[in-house]
């Protein structure tokens, strides 16, 4: 019986095979945030010197990448990336995701938007029938906290401030329980439209292109 950590390692290793296919001196890889992404970063170290560099979705990942000698580039210098690799808190069969458990959702969405393909790496426990058991993280500009919380409550959610947490962008996170997510792209658009919301952790308007889900019987690959 493989542990969750071993499953995460399998998923990270599977994503490294994608890197091997695209690696080259002009190639930049987009890198996510979280414990699964950390394992991917550790494996990416073997590509140091064989890539132009990486773009990180958080200060945390940037530090880990730099620690392995992998150049971390400013996204403004990078017009194209073949792949962006990141974990998820939940993913469904449509490859819609909830992300942001680590609070890096906004930069994750931005970096992913520049990549040709989003490769989601996770252990199979992240695959769900319907998104929403995991509280939806929403990054909010601090002065809008209460106004946004009221709007989220009007959508049927129960927002809760993530105590003692400030995002890399200087904002706060509201974690929202109790949302009925029957239309993930529609809800993503509605939440993102609330004044004061930077972005929400639904990745459904642009979901993953490939999911590499580690199971006790090997990697289960889902594609759109
Ligand atoms: C961070 C994220 C992560 O991808 C998500 O929380 C999954 O993390 P882990 O790989 O540690 O389970 O969205 O903002």
């Amino acid at each position: 019986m493989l542990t969750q950590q071993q499953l995460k390692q399998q998923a990270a290793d599977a994503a490294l095979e994608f890197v091997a296919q695209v690696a080259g001196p002009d190639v930049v890889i987009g890198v996510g945030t979280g414990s699964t992404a950390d394992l991917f970063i550790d494996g990416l170290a073997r590509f140091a010197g064989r890539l132009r560099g990486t773009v990180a979705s958080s200060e945390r990942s940037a530090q880990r990448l730099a620690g392995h000698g992998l150049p971390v580039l400013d996204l403004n210098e990078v017009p194209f990336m073949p792949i962006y690799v990141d974990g998820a808190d939940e993913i469904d069969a449509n490859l819609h995701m909830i992300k942001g458990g680590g609070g890096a959702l906004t930069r994750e969405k931005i970096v992913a938007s520049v990549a040709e393909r989003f490769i989601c790496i996770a252990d199979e426990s992240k695959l769900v029938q319907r998104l929403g058991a995991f509280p939806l993280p929403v990054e909010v500009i601090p002065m809008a906290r209460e106004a946004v919380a009221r709007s989220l409550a009007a959508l049927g959610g129960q927002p809760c401030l993530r105590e003692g947490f400030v995002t890399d962008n200087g904002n706060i996170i509201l974690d929202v329980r109790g949302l009925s997510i029957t239309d993930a792209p529609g809800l993503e658009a509605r939440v993102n439209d609330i004044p004061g919301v930077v972005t929400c952790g639904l990745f459904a308007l642009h979901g993953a292109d490939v999911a590499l889900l580690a199971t006790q019987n090997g990697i289960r690959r889902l594609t759109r």
Side-chain angles (χ1 to χ4, degrees), residues 1-207:
M1 183 84 174
L2 296 170
T3 63
Q4 191 181 36
Q5 184 70 9
Q6 288 169 323
L7 292 171
K8 287 180 181 186
Q9 184 68 60
Q10 273 195 7
D13 290 345
L16 289 164
E17 291 173 22
F18 281 76
V19 177
Q21 284 168 18
V22 298
D26 299 326
V27 171
V28 178
I29 303 292
V31 179
T33 299
S35 59
T36 319
D38 279 350
L39 296 171
F40 172 73
I41 292 170
D42 295 346
L44 198 60
R46 79 177 78 120
F47 290 90
R50 288 196 278 152
L51 296 169
R52 179 178 159 217
T54 61
V55 176
S57 63
S58 62
E59 299 298 337
R60 162 187 164 166
S61 290
Q63 277 184 16
R64 198 172 184 102
L65 288 159
H68 285 304
L70 290 156
V72 181
L73 307 173
D74 184 327
L75 182 63
N76 292 308
E77 298 165 10
V78 179
F80 174 79
M81 286 171 269
I83 56 174
Y84 172 79
V85 179
D86 200 354
D89 298 301
E90 287 183 345
I91 184 164
D92 69 13
N94 296 314
L95 304 196
H96 297 156
M97 296 169 284
I98 287 183
K99 292 183 46 53
L105 59 158
T106 299
R107 292 192 186 194
E108 290 171 346
K109 209 175 266 191
I110 294 168
V111 180
S113 75
V114 179
E116 187 173 30
R117 283 195 296 174
F118 187 131
I119 298 177
C120 176
I121 51 174
D123 65 88
E124 62 182 340
S125 70
K126 303 293 182 71
L127 182 64
V128 297
Q129 291 254 329
R130 181 187 288 186
L131 300 173
F134 191 91
L136 178 66
V138 181
E139 180 163 351
V140 176
I141 291 171
M143 69 163 288
R145 183 189 66 218
E146 290 305 313
V148 171
R150 286 192 294 273
S151 297
L152 292 168
L155 289 177
Q158 295 132 35
C160 180
L161 178 67
R162 195 177 294 186
E163 294 285 351
F165 186 84
V166 179
T167 71
D168 285 348
N169 312 308
N171 297 313
I172 58 166
I173 298 278
L174 295 175
D175 290 303
V176 190
R177 294 178 190 278
L179 289 169
S180 167
I181 306 183
T182 50
D183 169 16
L187 184 64
E188 180 179 355
R190 281 184 81 175
V191 174
N192 286 350
D193 204 33
I194 298 170
V197 168
V198 181
T199 199
C200 74
L202 275 167
F203 285 57
L205 292 166
H206 301 282

Side-chain angles (χ1 to χ4, degrees), residues 17-18 21 117 210-213 219-223:
E17 291 173 22
F18 281 76
Q21 284 168 18
R117 283 195 296 174
V210 181
L212 301 171
L213 303 176
I219 293 290
R220 181 170 170 200
R221 184 169 163 163
L222 306 181
T223 50

